Amino acid sequence: MIDLLVLNLGSRDTLAAEEIALLEQIIKHERLVLRGHDIVSEGSRPHESTLLLEGIAARYRVLEDGKRQITALHVAGDFIDLHAFMLKTLDHSVVALSPCKVATAAHRDLVSVTKTHPHLSRMLWLSTVIDGAIHREWIVAMGRRSKKSHLAHLICELYVRLNVVGLVQEAGFQLDLSQSEVADTLGVSLVHLNKTLQSLRSDGLVRWTNRVVTILDWDRLVHVAEFDDTYLNLRREPR
Amino acid sequence: MIDLLVLNLGSRDTLAAEEIALLEQIIKHERLVLRGHDIVSEGSRPHESTLLLEGIAARYRVLEDGKRQITALHVAGDFIDLHAFMLKTLDHSVVALSPCKVATAAHRDLVSVTKTHPHLSRMLWLSTVIDGAIHREWIVAMGRRSKKSHLAHLICELYVRLNVVGLVQEAGFQLDLSQSEVADTLGVSLVHLNKTLQSLRSDGLVRWTNRVVTILDWDRLVHVAEFDDTYLNLRREPR
DNA sequence: CGTAGGTTTGAGGTTGGTCAACAGGTGTGG
DNA sequence: CCACACCTGTTGACCAACCTCAAACCTACG
């Protein structure tokens, strides 16, 4: 069940068999969430953290005027609200963008992990800290990149993150986001997102149809995006 | 020396005397960094994490075309690169925006904290996770707020954060940022930032001269910013 | 066959960027 | 003491990026 989480953490440091067994043990209550439904809700005070087993989900906030901003995308193998283990109150909702299979780890159990398994705790800590690194990269993209470069950057990031958990075939991957959802991710209007995407397409960089993204020219895409995957911390080293 | 860190963490949960003593013990090598100098540098692999004792600092990235984006502001009492304890390689530089007094905690010592003091580790974990919450709030602001609202939001946030560590007098605080640095924080041009600031001033919301910010009408400022301090997690509760 | 969700396109307006100039304050060297 | 450079803040003119509104089109599905 937790194979993708193991791939995820395991690509940053080696996990001991015992640590994997422990994770296996505390992650329970598998359930399905339909597309469009919230997996967790802003303002709630959950007593467990949710792991995404399958599908893609978005953390978002809706402002008073109805505008929505997506602050994070989570793919299979990501803990989507592990930080709530420390924060107690959720500051954003997370919605399923595709049908999602999820499971949870009780905060009580996570506390005992911190007491008995320091290395595993650090790995969990690491995963929240990588989320932070991704946030910073998004801030840079939102503030100082052109929309075209920003979109290219997002595609590069998703390609790499999905590749870690084995969800890339050849140069393509399934991406269950409507253009409107991508627009809410980049913080632009739907109309402008569409035109930006057309521009990437007409440059021959990507194909993006029927929710399948194919990268046609990785090198040029990386160049347009000024993409550097350092922030994803994909080196296996002692943490 | 670590009084402000104690105020910072202590406003989220009660710290035991022993935990404070331990922090006191592992945080060493106080030094001064001049305004404009990097405290830590992108790409480096430090063996210690840096605590900001006095002053204000900015995490930033410079893109190929020379544009700079500030991804985080750190005030006295903040650990500025505690996440590097897990990430190993720094993904951004941090520059002193005022003369800064800093000290460091060796990663070796932090590892042993995770082995012997689970609650204190969770508090440190918490502090990295609050950084993440702030990042998310900034993403929302960059993506979906007007620049005026974004600037108002930044002022509200800094007011609250500085208040935690006792650096607010009446409704005012010292803020050693040039307008150009604020512009790099919001991701706008200097010219536009200046006009946005004028607009807040002429609305009678803030006074901002000589690097001193005074809030003239907190309620209206909060309203313009749609500010809600939940994400700063200022409730003292068991974590 | 009608409806709903998603994509695409165009027109026109607003926000925010760039360039350029000037003002005020500060520190330095002559 | 003055002249000068330099840094920061301020303002105006002009232009590009991006938004909103609106409509058309496409596909899937009951």
Side-chain angles (χ1 to χ4, degrees):
Chain A
M1 182 164 89
I2 62 162
D3 303 3
L4 298 191
L5 173 63
V6 170
L7 279 177
N8 186 339
L9 297 178
S11 62
R12 275 82 185 200
D13 189 7
T14 309
L15 287 180
E18 191 213 341
E19 293 174 325
I20 297 175
L22 179 56
L23 284 173
E24 193 79 70
Q25 200 182 318
I26 66 174
I27 294 171
K28 318 180 232 204
H29 306 305
E30 188 173 325
R31 72 180 214 272
L32 226 93
V33 182
L34 296 179
R35 172 178 161 84
H37 287 244
D38 277 359
I39 300 175
V40 297
S41 296
E42 183 179 344
S44 66
R45 298 176 59 82
H47 296 291
E48 66 279 322
S49 284
T50 305
L51 172 65
L52 187 55
L53 302 172
E54 275 181 41
I56 186 162
R59 176 172 305 276
Y60 69 96
R61 160 84 50 81
V62 176
L63 298 184
E64 281 172 13
D65 61 3
K67 284 180 181 160
R68 179 172 75 161
Q69 177 65 44
I70 290 175
T71 58
L73 290 174
H74 291 292
V75 304
D78 286 351
F79 253 115
I80 63 181
D81 62 350
L82 185 52
H83 55 267
F85 164 46
M86 303 302 340
L87 295 182
K88 302 305 174 193
T89 303
L90 281 174
D91 49 12
H92 291 82
S93 300
V94 177
V95 63
L97 296 181
S98 71
C100 284
K101 202 184 282 181
V102 302
T104 57
H107 289 172
R108 198 178 336 104
D109 291 336
L110 290 170
V111 169
S112 54
V113 168
T114 67
K115 290 179 181 161
T116 59
H117 290 74
H119 177 258
L120 181 56
S121 320
R122 290 199 301 276
M123 291 304 289
L124 294 176
W125 185 350
L126 170 67
S127 102
T128 64
V129 151
I130 290 175
D131 285 344
I134 294 172
H135 290 328
R136 287 191 289 276
E137 214 54 45
W138 284 29
I139 289 173
V140 172
M142 301 191 84
R144 293 303 189 199
R145 293 186 208 276
S146 70
K147 294 304 165 183
K148 185 166 169 177
S149 170
H150 187 174
L151 178 55
H153 196 276
L154 179 68
I155 293 170
C156 290
E157 178 185 306
L158 287 171
Y159 176 85
V160 171
R161 288 172 60 194
L162 288 167
N163 194 36
V164 167
V165 285
L167 295 175
V168 169
Q169 296 89 28
E170 320 221 338
F173 52 90
Q174 180 82 19
L175 190 58
D176 283 319
L177 297 195
S178 69
Q179 291 191 12
S180 164
E181 286 155 351
V182 178
D184 285 345
T185 305
L186 302 199
V188 295
S189 68
L190 167 59
V191 172
H192 197 69
L193 182 274
N194 181 276
K195 285 168 185 170
T196 306
L197 179 53
Q198 309 270 350
S199 161
L200 283 186
R201 288 205 270 239
S202 71
D203 287 357
L205 298 176
V206 294
R207 188 165 52 220
W208 185 334
T209 39
N210 293 325
R211 315 262 159 131
V212 174
V213 177
T214 310
I215 294 173
L216 300 176
D217 190 333
W218 174 254
D219 291 345
R220 272 170 59 223
L221 189 65
V222 163
H223 184 254
V224 168
E226 242 180 85
F227 181 74
D228 172 351
D229 72 2
T230 308
Y231 70 103
L232 294 172
N233 282 265
L234 291 168
R235 286 169 52 166
R236 191 177 287 126
E237 53 183 315
R239 312 252 184 186
Chain B
M1 182 164 89
I2 63 162
D3 303 2
L4 298 191
L5 174 63
V6 171
L7 279 177
N8 186 339
L9 297 179
S11 62
R12 275 81 185 202
D13 188 7
T14 309
L15 287 179
E18 193 213 339
E19 293 173 325
I20 296 174
L22 179 55
L23 284 173
E24 193 78 69
Q25 199 181 318
I26 66 175
I27 294 171
K28 315 180 231 202
H29 305 305
E30 189 174 325
R31 73 181 212 272
L32 226 93
V33 182
L34 297 179
R35 168 176 166 86
H37 287 243
D38 278 0
I39 300 175
V40 297
S41 296
E42 183 179 345
S44 65
R45 299 175 57 83
H47 296 292
E48 66 279 322
S49 285
T50 305
L51 172 66
L52 186 56
L53 302 172
E54 273 181 42
I56 185 162
R59 176 171 304 278
Y60 69 96
R61 160 82 51 81
V62 176
L63 298 184
E64 280 171 14
D65 61 2
K67 284 180 181 162
R68 179 172 75 160
Q69 176 65 45
I70 289 175
T71 59
L73 290 174
H74 291 292
V75 304
D78 286 352
F79 253 114
I80 64 181
D81 61 350
L82 186 51
H83 55 268
F85 164 46
M86 303 302 339
L87 294 182
K88 303 303 175 194
T89 304
L90 281 174
D91 49 13
H92 292 82
S93 300
V94 177
V95 63
L97 297 180
S98 71
C100 285
K101 202 184 284 181
V102 301
T104 57
H107 289 172
R108 198 178 335 104
D109 291 336
L110 291 170
V111 169
S112 54
V113 169
T114 67
K115 289 178 182 162
T116 59
H117 290 73
H119 177 258
L120 181 56
S121 320
R122 290 199 301 276
M123 292 303 290
L124 295 176
W125 185 350
L126 171 66
S127 101
T128 63
V129 151
I130 290 174
D131 285 344
I134 295 172
H135 290 328
R136 286 190 289 276
E137 214 56 44
W138 284 30
I139 289 173
V140 172
M142 301 191 84
R144 293 304 189 200
R145 293 189 208 275
S146 69
K147 293 305 163 183
K148 185 165 169 177
S149 170
H150 188 174
L151 179 55
H153 196 277
L154 179 68
I155 293 169
C156 290
E157 178 185 307
L158 287 170
Y159 175 85
V160 172
R161 288 171 62 192
L162 288 167
N163 194 36
V164 167
V165 286
L167 295 175
V168 169
Q169 297 88 28
E170 322 224 333
F173 52 91
Q174 180 82 19
L175 189 58
D176 283 319
L177 299 195
S178 68
Q179 292 191 9
S180 163
E181 286 155 351
V182 178
D184 285 345
T185 305
L186 302 200
V188 295
S189 69
L190 167 59
V191 172
H192 197 67
L193 182 274
N194 181 276
K195 286 169 184 169
T196 306
L197 179 53
Q198 308 271 349
S199 162
L200 284 186
R201 288 204 269 239
S202 71
D203 287 357
L205 298 176
V206 295
R207 188 164 53 221
W208 185 334
T209 40
N210 293 324
R211 314 262 157 131
V212 174
V213 177
T214 309
I215 293 173
L216 300 177
D217 190 333
W218 174 254
D219 291 345
R220 271 170 59 224
L221 189 65
V222 163
H223 184 254
V224 168
E226 243 181 83
F227 180 75
D228 172 350
D229 71 3
T230 308
Y231 70 103
L232 293 172
N233 282 265
L234 291 168
R235 284 169 52 165
R236 190 177 287 126
E237 52 183 315
R239 312 256 184 183

Short mmCIF file of all heavy atoms in Angstrom, two decimals, chain B residues 1 27-33 39-40 49-55 57 78 80 94 96 99-105:
data_model
loop_
_atom_site.label_atom_id
_atom_site.label_comp_id
_atom_site.label_asym_id
_atom_site.label_seq_id
_atom_site.Cartn_x
_atom_site.Cartn_y
_atom_site.Cartn_z
N MET B 1 21.05 34.68 25.19
CA MET B 1 21.30 34.81 23.76
C MET B 1 20.10 34.30 22.93
O MET B 1 19.76 34.89 21.92
CB MET B 1 22.55 33.99 23.41
CG MET B 1 22.95 34.06 21.97
SD MET B 1 24.63 33.50 21.69
CE MET B 1 24.42 31.74 21.43
N ILE B 27 23.60 26.09 20.74
CA ILE B 27 23.67 27.25 19.86
C ILE B 27 24.87 28.10 20.23
O ILE B 27 24.96 28.64 21.32
CB ILE B 27 22.36 28.06 19.93
CG1 ILE B 27 21.23 27.21 19.35
CG2 ILE B 27 22.49 29.37 19.16
CD1 ILE B 27 19.85 27.77 19.53
N LYS B 28 25.81 28.18 19.29
CA LYS B 28 27.10 28.80 19.61
C LYS B 28 27.60 29.68 18.48
O LYS B 28 26.93 29.88 17.49
CB LYS B 28 28.16 27.70 19.83
CG LYS B 28 27.71 26.54 20.68
CD LYS B 28 28.81 25.51 20.83
CE LYS B 28 28.27 24.14 20.47
NZ LYS B 28 29.02 23.02 21.03
N HIS B 29 28.82 30.16 18.67
CA HIS B 29 29.53 30.89 17.64
C HIS B 29 28.80 32.13 17.17
O HIS B 29 28.60 32.33 15.96
CB HIS B 29 29.82 29.98 16.43
CG HIS B 29 30.55 28.74 16.79
ND1 HIS B 29 31.75 28.74 17.47
CD2 HIS B 29 30.23 27.43 16.63
CE1 HIS B 29 32.15 27.51 17.69
NE2 HIS B 29 31.24 26.68 17.18
N GLU B 30 28.41 32.94 18.12
CA GLU B 30 27.76 34.20 17.79
C GLU B 30 28.68 35.03 16.90
O GLU B 30 29.89 35.10 17.13
CB GLU B 30 27.49 34.95 19.10
CG GLU B 30 26.64 36.18 18.93
CD GLU B 30 26.28 36.79 20.29
OE1 GLU B 30 26.09 36.02 21.26
OE2 GLU B 30 26.22 38.02 20.37
N ARG B 31 28.12 35.63 15.86
CA ARG B 31 28.92 36.52 15.03
C ARG B 31 28.04 37.59 14.40
O ARG B 31 26.81 37.47 14.40
CB ARG B 31 29.68 35.74 13.96
CG ARG B 31 28.83 35.23 12.81
CD ARG B 31 29.70 34.44 11.81
NE ARG B 31 29.21 34.59 10.45
CZ ARG B 31 28.28 33.81 9.90
NH1 ARG B 31 27.76 32.82 10.60
NH2 ARG B 31 27.89 34.00 8.66
N LEU B 32 28.70 38.60 13.86
CA LEU B 32 27.97 39.71 13.26
C LEU B 32 28.09 39.65 11.74
O LEU B 32 29.16 39.38 11.21
CB LEU B 32 28.55 41.03 13.76
CG LEU B 32 27.49 42.04 14.19
CD1 LEU B 32 27.25 41.89 15.69
CD2 LEU B 32 27.91 43.44 13.83
N VAL B 33 27.00 39.94 11.04
CA VAL B 33 27.05 40.01 9.58
C VAL B 33 26.61 41.41 9.18
O VAL B 33 25.58 41.91 9.63
CB VAL B 33 26.10 38.98 8.94
CG1 VAL B 33 26.19 39.04 7.42
CG2 VAL B 33 26.44 37.58 9.44
N ILE B 39 24.45 35.69 4.66
CA ILE B 39 24.65 34.91 5.88
C ILE B 39 24.93 33.46 5.52
O ILE B 39 25.81 32.82 6.09
CB ILE B 39 23.41 35.01 6.80
CG1 ILE B 39 23.16 36.48 7.17
CG2 ILE B 39 23.58 34.16 8.05
CD1 ILE B 39 21.88 36.71 7.98
N VAL B 40 24.17 32.96 4.57
CA VAL B 40 24.46 31.64 4.00
C VAL B 40 24.27 31.73 2.49
O VAL B 40 23.58 32.62 2.00
CB VAL B 40 23.53 30.53 4.56
CG1 VAL B 40 23.73 30.34 6.05
CG2 VAL B 40 22.06 30.84 4.28
N SER B 49 23.14 24.92 11.31
CA SER B 49 22.03 25.78 10.94
C SER B 49 22.13 27.08 11.71
O SER B 49 22.61 27.10 12.85
CB SER B 49 20.69 25.10 11.23
OG SER B 49 20.44 24.12 10.25
N THR B 50 21.66 28.15 11.10
CA THR B 50 21.89 29.48 11.64
C THR B 50 20.62 30.07 12.26
O THR B 50 19.56 30.05 11.65
CB THR B 50 22.38 30.41 10.51
OG1 THR B 50 23.54 29.82 9.90
CG2 THR B 50 22.74 31.77 11.05
N LEU B 51 20.80 30.59 13.45
CA LEU B 51 19.72 31.27 14.15
C LEU B 51 19.96 32.77 14.07
O LEU B 51 21.08 33.23 14.29
CB LEU B 51 19.70 30.82 15.62
CG LEU B 51 18.76 31.55 16.56
CD1 LEU B 51 17.31 31.30 16.19
CD2 LEU B 51 19.01 31.11 18.00
N LEU B 52 18.92 33.51 13.76
CA LEU B 52 19.05 34.96 13.70
C LEU B 52 18.76 35.54 15.08
O LEU B 52 17.64 35.39 15.60
CB LEU B 52 18.08 35.51 12.65
CG LEU B 52 18.14 37.00 12.31
CD1 LEU B 52 19.55 37.39 11.87
CD2 LEU B 52 17.14 37.33 11.21
N LEU B 53 19.75 36.18 15.68
CA LEU B 53 19.58 36.71 17.03
C LEU B 53 19.06 38.15 16.99
O LEU B 53 18.25 38.55 17.82
CB LEU B 53 20.91 36.68 17.79
CG LEU B 53 21.57 35.31 17.92
CD1 LEU B 53 22.97 35.45 18.51
CD2 LEU B 53 20.71 34.40 18.78
N GLU B 54 19.56 38.90 16.02
CA GLU B 54 19.16 40.30 15.90
C GLU B 54 19.20 40.71 14.43
O GLU B 54 20.07 40.26 13.69
CB GLU B 54 20.17 41.21 16.62
CG GLU B 54 19.92 41.43 18.09
CD GLU B 54 20.98 42.37 18.67
OE1 GLU B 54 21.32 43.38 17.99
OE2 GLU B 54 21.46 42.08 19.77
N GLY B 55 18.25 41.56 14.04
CA GLY B 55 18.26 42.07 12.67
C GLY B 55 17.22 41.39 11.81
O GLY B 55 16.37 40.64 12.29
N ALA B 57 16.65 39.48 7.84
CA ALA B 57 17.37 38.86 6.73
C ALA B 57 16.38 38.36 5.69
O ALA B 57 15.22 38.12 5.99
CB ALA B 57 18.22 37.71 7.24
N ASP B 78 14.22 33.82 14.55
CA ASP B 78 13.95 32.78 13.54
C ASP B 78 15.20 31.97 13.26
O ASP B 78 16.30 32.51 13.14
CB ASP B 78 13.53 33.42 12.20
CG ASP B 78 12.13 33.99 12.21
OD1 ASP B 78 11.40 33.77 13.20
OD2 ASP B 78 11.76 34.66 11.23
N ILE B 80 17.04 30.55 10.42
CA ILE B 80 16.91 30.91 9.02
C ILE B 80 17.17 29.75 8.07
O ILE B 80 16.72 29.78 6.94
CB ILE B 80 17.81 32.09 8.62
CG1 ILE B 80 19.27 31.73 8.77
CG2 ILE B 80 17.45 33.31 9.44
CD1 ILE B 80 20.16 32.89 8.42
N VAL B 94 20.78 33.63 1.80
CA VAL B 94 20.12 34.52 2.75
C VAL B 94 21.03 35.71 2.98
O VAL B 94 22.20 35.54 3.31
CB VAL B 94 19.83 33.81 4.08
CG1 VAL B 94 19.21 34.78 5.08
CG2 VAL B 94 18.90 32.62 3.88
N ALA B 96 21.75 39.54 4.80
CA ALA B 96 21.40 40.41 5.92
C ALA B 96 20.87 41.73 5.37
O ALA B 96 21.56 42.41 4.62
CB ALA B 96 22.64 40.66 6.79
N PRO B 99 22.28 45.10 9.83
CA PRO B 99 23.36 44.40 10.53
C PRO B 99 22.71 43.27 11.35
O PRO B 99 21.72 43.50 12.04
CB PRO B 99 23.93 45.48 11.44
CG PRO B 99 23.53 46.77 10.81
CD PRO B 99 22.21 46.52 10.16
N CYS B 100 23.23 42.07 11.22
CA CYS B 100 22.61 40.92 11.87
C CYS B 100 23.56 40.23 12.84
O CYS B 100 24.73 40.03 12.53
CB CYS B 100 22.16 39.89 10.83
SG CYS B 100 20.69 40.36 9.93
N LYS B 101 23.02 39.86 13.98
CA LYS B 101 23.77 39.02 14.89
C LYS B 101 23.22 37.60 14.73
O LYS B 101 22.00 37.40 14.79
CB LYS B 101 23.58 39.51 16.33
CG LYS B 101 24.68 39.06 17.26
CD LYS B 101 24.41 39.49 18.69
CE LYS B 101 24.66 40.97 18.95
NZ LYS B 101 24.40 41.32 20.38
N VAL B 102 24.09 36.64 14.48
CA VAL B 102 23.64 35.27 14.27
C VAL B 102 24.46 34.29 15.12
O VAL B 102 25.53 34.64 15.62
CB VAL B 102 23.76 34.84 12.78
CG1 VAL B 102 22.96 35.74 11.88
CG2 VAL B 102 25.22 34.80 12.36
N ALA B 103 23.95 33.09 15.28
CA ALA B 103 24.69 32.01 15.93
C ALA B 103 24.28 30.71 15.26
O ALA B 103 23.31 30.69 14.48
CB ALA B 103 24.38 31.97 17.42
N THR B 104 24.99 29.64 15.54
CA THR B 104 24.69 28.40 14.81
C THR B 104 24.54 27.19 15.72
O THR B 104 25.08 27.16 16.83
CB THR B 104 25.82 28.07 13.79
OG1 THR B 104 27.06 27.99 14.49
CG2 THR B 104 25.90 29.12 12.72
N ALA B 105 23.81 26.23 15.21
CA ALA B 105 23.67 24.93 15.88
C ALA B 105 24.20 23.86 14.92
O ALA B 105 23.75 23.78 13.77
CB ALA B 105 22.22 24.65 16.22
#
